[in-house]
Amino acid sequence: MREELPEDRADGLAHGRGGSPDDLVRAVEAALFAAGEPLTPQQLSAHLGGARVDGALEQLVAHYAGRGIELVQRGGCWHFQTAADLAHLLRTEREDVRRLSRAATEALAIIAYHEPVSRAEIEAIRGVQTSRGTLDVLLEAGWIRVAGRREVPGRPTIYATTPGFLAHFGLESRRDLPGIDELRAAGLLDPVDDVFAALTGHDEEDQADAEPAFSDVEDESLRPD
């Protein structure tokens, strides 16, 4: 809050010397406007040299009634606030940009290319465990949805992508997902895959025969709609 009034000025407001009632109203108004937090009448009075501020507060309430801002009392403290019926005009939309973790990115890709899939199936493809939190992030983003349960023992939950996923990535349908050659050309495949293939003696064609590419899945149930 702003520094306290000079002693002679505060004393004048407190005792009605050297000023008019309007001066006190203006002083209370200024003190509330400059305050970093709501103030009690006692705090206002102390700031203004012991002046009685109840009447000034009542005048300010009447003055600001129906205006864009209003003077209100909450919990014994006074402060200015935006008129309730105008609050919607001052709301701002802020986009919170969050980077997906590698685990979430991999899980999303697996779901997109192989949906519907269960968490266990995602883990089998990734080769590592997938935490519940990873899927929660994708659910909260609106990119995946619960698509039901697999009709096997335990009936695990299965996941699929959403229209929001397609809209975010500019896809008309899952058939527009890039194939493995496009992903490799764009540098989106881990070079370790190529190194592994070289070490094991599998060329790209052998690898394609051993592991169906995302763009050439033989199982019709895994082919993008």
Side-chain angles (χ1 to χ4, degrees), residues 10-225:
D11 186 65
L13 289 172
H15 297 90
R17 298 194 305 271
S20 67
D22 284 345
D23 289 335
L24 178 58
V25 173
R26 293 176 63 238
V28 171
E29 181 181 33
L32 287 170
F33 180 80
E37 58 185 7
L39 299 176
T40 65
Q42 293 77 16
Q43 290 172 318
L44 279 168
S45 178
H47 179 63
L48 300 176
R52 297 181 61 86
V53 300
D54 293 343
L57 289 169
E58 291 177 2
Q59 290 186 53
L60 288 171
V61 169
H63 175 72
Y64 282 99
R67 300 174 68 91
I69 59 174
E70 55 191 11
L71 180 61
V72 298
Q73 183 184 29
R74 298 286 185 269
C77 296
W78 292 85
H79 70 278
F80 286 108
Q81 69 174 25
T82 304
D85 62 323
L86 299 179
H88 68 283
L89 298 177
L90 302 181
R91 292 197 183 100
T92 57
E93 299 291 336
R94 185 178 68 178
E95 184 176 351
D96 186 12
V97 179
R98 293 184 298 175
R99 293 179 60 86
L100 287 181
S101 66
R102 176 167 181 169
T105 302
E106 291 175 353
L108 179 60
I110 291 168
I111 295 170
Y113 282 100
H114 296 280
E115 66 179 65
V117 291
S118 67
R119 178 177 166 185
E121 291 165 337
I122 294 171
E123 291 175 346
I125 295 174
R126 291 188 64 222
V128 295
Q129 286 189 328
T130 300
S131 70
R132 175 67 192 179
T134 296
L135 296 176
D136 286 342
V137 168
L138 299 176
L139 287 166
E140 290 173 6
W143 290 346
I144 67 171
R145 61 184 174 84
V146 174
R149 291 184 177 275
R150 184 79 73 204
E151 294 299 330
V152 296
R155 302 189 69 241
T157 300
I158 53 178
Y159 301 92
T161 55
T162 66
F165 164 79
L166 297 175
H168 182 84
F169 291 97
L171 304 172
E172 290 188 10
S173 72
R174 288 175 52 243
R175 290 190 178 278
D176 295 325
L177 288 167
I180 194 168
D181 292 334
E182 294 172 282
L183 292 172
R184 180 175 287 115
L188 298 177
L189 289 184
D190 195 331
V192 172
D193 294 337
D194 294 330
V195 173
F196 178 78
L199 290 176
T200 56
H202 296 323
D203 58 23
E204 293 185 8
E205 292 183 359
D206 292 337
Q207 209 171 6
D209 292 336
E211 299 181 8
F214 288 147
S215 59
D216 188 23
V217 180
E218 295 298 328
D219 187 343
E220 290 296 331
S221 67
L222 300 180
R223 188 181 297 277
D225 298 328

